[in-house]
Amino acid sequence: MQAVILAAGEGSRLRPLTRSKPKALIPVANRPIIDYVIDALLENGIREIVVVVGYRKEEVIQHLNSLDAPLQVVVQERQLGTGDALRAAEPEIRGDFLVLPGDNYINAASIARIKGVRNAMLVAEHPNPSNFGVVVIRSGIVREIVEKPEDAPTFTVSTGVYSFTPEIFSYLQTNEIPDAVSAMIADGRQIRAIPADEWQDAIYPWDLLKLNTRMLRGIQPGLAGTVDASVVRRGVVQIGKGTTVGPNTVIYGPVNIGSNCNIGPNTVIMPDTSIGDRVVLEPFTYVADSLIMSDVTVGSHSRIVSAVLGQGCILADHITTTPSASLIEVGGRVQKEEFGAVLGEGVRAAPFTTFKNCIVGNNVSIVKGRTLAGRIEDGTRVM
């Protein structure tokens, strides 16, 4: 059986993190999201995999070439929608096939449930169905798909994972796959609804924290770096090659620390934290429930909680991220969410800066310590 992974989109609602990196390459538990999708397919013996790329395609192709997996790449020249992306893969399709988003987590058991069913959709329950295609089901058959409704008729949503026969291409009259599925239903074709075993999407930047927590549950303990004898490790902790952990540091897993990092001394890293490569955590810093990407420096006496720190952020000493709930507008929707901070790439923050439920754009400079909340646009200089 073949599989088509759609990895051409940006993931605009995940900005600022996707301004310079497609959503499928966002690292979660120190692995790009697309890697989990590929692993799930390989575990099911599916080795004919077509990946559709588009937005920042060179970066995606470079990453795919680094993987030990049988992948074929096709290009969606313009990012017009999922249906248009699927059309780009049509010349490579020879029979029944799966379609999967490259920027959602899906496990192998879910794929096992759908791979043998012709014309089927993987569905899941979600507490916020209005962010997805809401599915109306009767007797296991999809009756209707309502895209991102204001008032959802059910909590059942499409995961974006489908099992199709080649006839789907004759129904791709618009640029979106759900429209083609609706056309099939209207034409009398049956689309079966298959409940997912495990699936999760990150719609907004703060959703990455929940996804990071889930993926850290699957890491294996490992020590490839240098850890001082006084360091306390509890739970599952993975430490990469070339990383040094200084004296009197405490790490409670699950925690994943990448390669060539410099941690401590006298730091505390609490559960559900992933730390990328070449990260520096200076002494007396506390980190919990956070996703820190590569090449980040966090100054001494800082407290980082419920935060996503984009690549290359340089934070001075006494930085604080404080989880708080407030109204945030993203993609035209206003919603109440609780998190500490989401920082884009290359953010610079002066000592004694506090982020409180704050989304900070790429290359923002904060030149004087202060408390910041809400949204700060790319390239802003905060005086």
Side-chain angles (χ1 to χ4, degrees):
M1 189 175 198
Q2 292 177 284
V4 178
I5 299 176
L6 305 181
E10 173 190 347
S12 59
R13 287 181 289 181
L14 224 60
R15 293 175 184 168
L17 300 171
T18 54
R19 285 287 190 186
S20 60
K21 188 186 298 292
K23 182 180 173 184
L25 292 190
I26 293 291
V28 176
N30 283 345
R31 297 186 69 198
I33 296 173
I34 194 172
D35 286 15
Y36 298 107
V37 181
I38 293 170
D39 284 354
L41 289 170
L42 295 176
E43 286 183 43
N44 277 277
I46 299 172
R47 304 191 65 79
E48 293 188 60
I49 303 172
V50 179
V51 183
V52 183
V53 302
Y55 177 70
R56 294 193 170 269
K57 59 182 181 292
E58 295 83 4
E59 294 178 46
V60 184
I61 293 171
Q62 182 180 20
H63 174 71
L64 295 175
N65 286 339
S66 72
L67 301 178
D68 184 19
L71 305 172
Q72 183 175 357
V73 175
V74 298
V75 177
Q76 181 190 22
E77 295 297 341
R78 293 186 298 163
Q79 284 65 74
L80 299 177
T82 57
D84 184 71
L86 183 56
R87 271 195 294 266
E90 183 177 3
E92 312 303 329
I93 299 302
R94 299 186 307 277
D96 295 355
F97 64 102
L98 299 179
V99 177
L100 308 95
D103 54 12
N104 291 193
Y105 167 69
I106 190 75
N107 71 343
S110 295
I111 293 175
R113 291 181 177 185
I114 195 174
K115 69 176 183 179
V117 184
R118 304 185 88 192
N119 290 329
M121 170 194 297
L122 207 63
V123 298
E125 298 296 304
H126 198 280
N128 299 307
S130 293
N131 289 322
F132 303 89
V134 176
V135 184
V136 178
I137 302 168
R138 295 194 190 98
S139 302
I141 304 299
V142 177
R143 300 300 182 186
E144 185 182 8
I145 305 173
V146 186
E147 278 298 309
K148 301 180 177 66
E150 289 292 334
D151 297 310
T154 75
F155 287 94
T156 304
V157 303
S158 169
T159 65
V161 178
Y162 303 93
S163 175
F164 286 135
T165 66
E167 73 170 344
I168 184 63
F169 294 107
S170 65
Y171 289 95
L172 284 173
Q173 303 304 313
T174 72
N175 290 326
E176 300 296 341
I177 291 176
D179 292 340
V181 174
S182 295
M184 291 180 70
I185 294 169
D187 203 29
R189 299 289 195 271
Q190 283 196 347
I191 306 295
R192 296 194 175 277
I194 309 296
D197 176 71
E198 195 172 350
W199 163 82
Q200 190 168 336
D201 190 12
I203 298 293
Y204 301 109
W206 52 83
D207 293 334
L208 289 170
L209 294 171
K210 295 177 183 177
L211 187 55
N212 193 54
T213 294
R214 170 172 277 184
M215 303 320 303
L216 284 169
R217 295 293 183 265
I219 67 171
Q220 299 298 316
L223 175 57
T226 302
V227 176
D228 188 86
S230 63
V231 171
V232 174
R233 285 179 290 156
R234 297 288 185 268
V236 179
V237 177
Q238 190 176 96
I239 298 175
K241 184 177 180 180
T243 288
T244 59
V245 182
N248 304 314
T249 290
V250 176
I251 307 174
Y252 287 95
V255 167
N256 189 331
I257 302 174
S259 62
N260 300 309
C261 297
N262 189 354
I263 308 297
N266 300 297
T267 59
V268 176
I269 304 175
M270 297 299 285
D272 302 328
T273 297
S274 65
I275 296 172
D277 298 332
R278 300 173 299 279
V279 170
V280 176
L281 297 185
E282 294 188 354
F284 302 102
T285 286
Y286 176 96
V287 180
D289 183 31
S290 292
L291 192 165
I292 299 177
M293 299 186 192
S294 296
D295 301 302
V296 169
T297 296
V298 179
S300 65
H301 298 83
S302 294
R303 182 180 176 85
I304 307 299
V305 179
S306 295
V308 179
L309 306 185
Q311 185 169 342
C313 290
I314 306 296
L315 309 183
D317 58 276
H318 295 87
I319 301 295
T320 302
T321 66
T322 302
S324 175
S326 64
L327 296 176
I328 296 286
E329 181 177 354
V330 178
R333 288 179 179 267
V334 177
Q335 50 201 76
K336 192 173 185 178
E337 297 292 339
E338 182 172 353
F339 60 94
V342 175
L343 275 54
E345 292 189 3
V347 173
R348 302 290 190 271
F352 296 97
T353 299
T354 296
F355 300 96
K356 189 174 182 180
N357 200 237
C358 188
I359 299 177
V360 181
N362 299 299
N363 302 309
V364 168
S365 295
I366 301 153
V367 299
K368 183 178 180 181
R370 58 191 300 174
T371 297
L372 300 170
R375 179 181 293 275
I376 302 172
E377 297 300 324
D378 289 359
T380 301
R381 184 175 174 85
V382 181
M383 305 298 290

